[in-house]
Amino acid sequence: MKLAVFDICGTLYHDNTTYSFLRWLSKKNIIKYNKSIMNAPYILRALNVIYSSFSRKDVYRILQVKQLSDFSFDDINKWAREFVDELEENRIYSTNILMEEYKKQGYKIVIASATIEPVARAIAQKLGVEYYSSTIGFLNNKCTGEINKDLLFLKKDTLLHLLKKAETTIVVTDNYTDIELVLVSDHSHIIVRNDRDIEKWNRCLKENARKVDFIKKDA
């Protein structure tokens, strides 16, 4: 089996799809626009990134997802499909073309993302691929607003059964939290914004830098 693993947010789409989905719901007046949650100051977001790198918990995302509390499973998944339909214009052209190229070469395509499952499922259905994502809780068909399993920092462990079977593994991502997955790949395509991103990745990868190539997001 030849395996190609694609990230979603910042890789296949410009958006952070969990946050974009919640903003989409607020614009539809489905959830209340909560300024303190939806528009946290930059300094708080930066501190959250630092905290999450140590704790492996994205507090800001946990607070955001709570806004889905009490909505039904069917409604959330219906809205996610509608949201993804409207997300077409925010696709990153180069990586979507890359996915089609790997499909033609006979690779098993998997998308793996920390985005919430309703969104990941809708994207996977549109692209015709398998998916692995963070899951949210439901009780009696109502969303609990909790993240049950967070794929952030856990992609390698989650995909281990596939990685063991694969004779060749390709990883496509923009996310530094995917470093462990990149390191076990045979080759990776890293999505970057600028030369500073390339320098940071090279410092992280060290001798493994030779098995990656970089794709600019606007390419």
Side-chain angles (χ1 to χ4, degrees):
M1 176 185 69
K2 297 187 295 183
L3 177 68
V5 180
F6 283 75
D7 178 42
I8 294 177
C9 305
T11 299
L12 291 174
Y13 295 87
H14 288 286
D15 300 59
N16 179 312
T17 55
T18 296
Y19 299 155
S20 290
F21 178 49
L22 292 167
R23 288 183 181 279
W24 182 88
L25 290 173
S26 71
K27 288 179 181 177
K28 299 287 185 180
N29 295 316
I30 294 170
I31 63 175
K32 182 179 179 181
Y33 186 84
N34 188 326
K35 185 176 181 180
S36 63
I37 294 177
M38 301 291 269
N39 287 330
Y42 174 79
I43 184 63
L44 291 181
R45 297 190 192 202
L47 289 172
N48 180 60
V49 170
I50 296 169
Y51 176 76
S52 67
S53 67
F54 291 102
S55 68
R56 300 202 165 193
K57 289 185 178 180
D58 187 336
V59 176
Y60 184 60
R61 190 156 55 97
I62 290 170
L63 291 173
Q64 290 266 21
V65 170
K66 286 186 179 297
Q67 297 175 100
L68 295 176
S69 296
D70 296 326
F71 289 114
S72 74
F73 177 90
D74 291 341
D75 281 342
I76 291 174
N77 281 278
K78 176 177 71 71
W79 296 328
R81 290 191 297 271
E82 293 172 359
F83 162 72
V84 169
D85 283 341
E86 295 184 20
L87 200 60
E88 282 296 292
E89 62 185 27
N90 287 341
R91 281 199 194 193
I92 296 176
Y93 179 78
S94 55
T95 50
N96 280 270
I97 291 297
L98 192 61
M99 177 181 285
E100 293 306 312
E101 290 177 356
Y102 278 118
K103 281 183 180 180
K104 290 176 182 177
Q105 294 175 34
Y107 278 76
K108 178 184 180 69
I109 307 295
V110 167
I111 55 176
S113 174
T115 196
I116 57 176
E117 187 171 21
V119 173
R121 182 188 294 115
I123 291 171
Q125 289 173 346
K126 180 171 285 290
L127 299 177
V129 299
E130 294 184 15
Y131 74 94
Y132 294 84
S133 66
S134 299
T135 59
I136 54 177
F138 288 90
L139 182 63
N140 298 324
N141 203 44
K142 298 289 186 181
C143 183
T144 63
E146 304 291 330
I147 297 177
N148 280 355
K149 179 183 178 182
D150 195 341
L151 215 65
L152 190 67
F153 297 105
L154 294 177
K155 289 184 187 178
K156 178 187 170 185
D157 292 342
T158 302
L159 298 174
L160 199 56
H161 65 294
L162 293 176
L163 296 171
K164 288 180 177 178
K165 294 178 184 177
E167 60 190 62
T168 303
T169 300
I170 303 296
V171 171
V172 186
T173 186
D174 76 313
N175 201 329
Y176 294 108
T177 63
D178 290 340
I179 185 69
E180 291 183 354
L181 198 56
V182 170
L183 291 176
V184 300
S185 69
D186 293 289
H187 188 80
S188 292
H189 303 276
I190 307 297
I191 318 306
V192 295
R193 295 166 298 178
N194 49 46
D195 290 342
R196 287 183 62 188
D197 283 350
I198 294 175
E199 292 172 4
K200 183 175 179 179
W201 271 105
N202 282 332
R203 287 196 300 271
C204 294
L205 293 166
K206 298 179 181 178
E207 67 274 9
N208 290 281
R210 66 185 183 278
K211 65 177 184 179
V212 309
D213 63 76
F214 297 99
I215 301 174
K216 291 286 181 71
K217 278 191 181 182
D218 57 357

